[in-house]
Amino acid sequence: QVQLVESGGGLVQPGGSLRLSCAASGSIASIYDMGWYRQAPGKQRELVARIRSGGTRNYADSSKGRFTISRDNAKNTVYLQMNSLKPEDTAVYYCNADIARTGSYSPTNYWGQGTQVIVSS
């Protein structure tokens, strides 16, 4: 009943930009932390950026200075603005959120299905 819907992935040249969006929908009471993770072939999933409900942000070292995470609580949406993209940014990017369903005080962690980002000339 709760799902995360991602958009904005695709193919971009090195140095280019992309903005990923992830909208939560369903029977939602509250959304707490939201974040972006990525997984490249043969590698473990890793944190890209995370944002708390109060706005505090956390970035991986590889993301700092290039990526910006933000959220629109009214739209239940989290964004990832990616600038100065590098080939090593190529990965499947996953949206993640801690969400309490309607009628519940306990949040559950949810994952999106992932969106492919390819940085190549």
Side-chain angles (χ1 to χ4, degrees), residues 12-18 66-67 82-87 89 119:
V12 65
Q13 293 185 345
S17 299
L18 284 174
R66 301 187 300 126
F67 296 178
M82 302 187 293
N83 299 324
S84 302
L85 284 162
K86 305 174 181 179
D89 295 318
V119 184

Side-chain angles (χ1 to χ4, degrees), residues 67-100:
F67 296 178
T68 302
I69 189 170
S70 61
R71 64 190 290 169
D72 186 336
N73 292 332
K75 296 181 178 179
N76 292 336
T77 300
V78 63
Y79 306 93
L80 183 68
Q81 178 67 47
M82 302 187 293
N83 299 324
S84 302
L85 284 162
K86 305 174 181 179
E88 49 263 45
D89 295 318
T90 297
V92 176
Y93 284 71
Y94 296 92
C95 179
N96 178 265
D98 292 321
I99 300 173

Side-chain angles (χ1 to χ4, degrees), residues 37-46 90-94 116:
Y37 297 75
R38 69 186 183 188
Q39 188 167 18
K43 299 181 65 177
Q44 292 187 355
R45 185 184 300 167
E46 64 178 3
T90 297
V92 176
Y93 284 71
Y94 296 92
Q116 179 74 63

Side-chain angles (χ1 to χ4, degrees), residues 13-72:
Q13 293 185 345
S17 299
L18 284 174
R19 190 176 82 153
L20 306 182
S21 299
C22 173
S25 61
S27 301
I28 297 172
S30 301
I31 301 179
Y32 300 93
D33 290 8
M34 305 186 80
W36 291 95
Y37 297 75
R38 69 186 183 188
Q39 188 167 18
K43 299 181 65 177
Q44 292 187 355
R45 185 184 300 167
E46 64 178 3
L47 171 73
V48 177
R50 195 160 184 85
I51 183 169
R52 298 179 182 178
S53 59
T56 302
R57 295 166 170 84
N58 183 40
Y59 294 96
D61 289 341
S62 61
S63 302
K64 278 194 169 183
R66 301 187 300 126
F67 296 178
T68 302
I69 189 170
S70 61
R71 64 190 290 169
D72 186 336

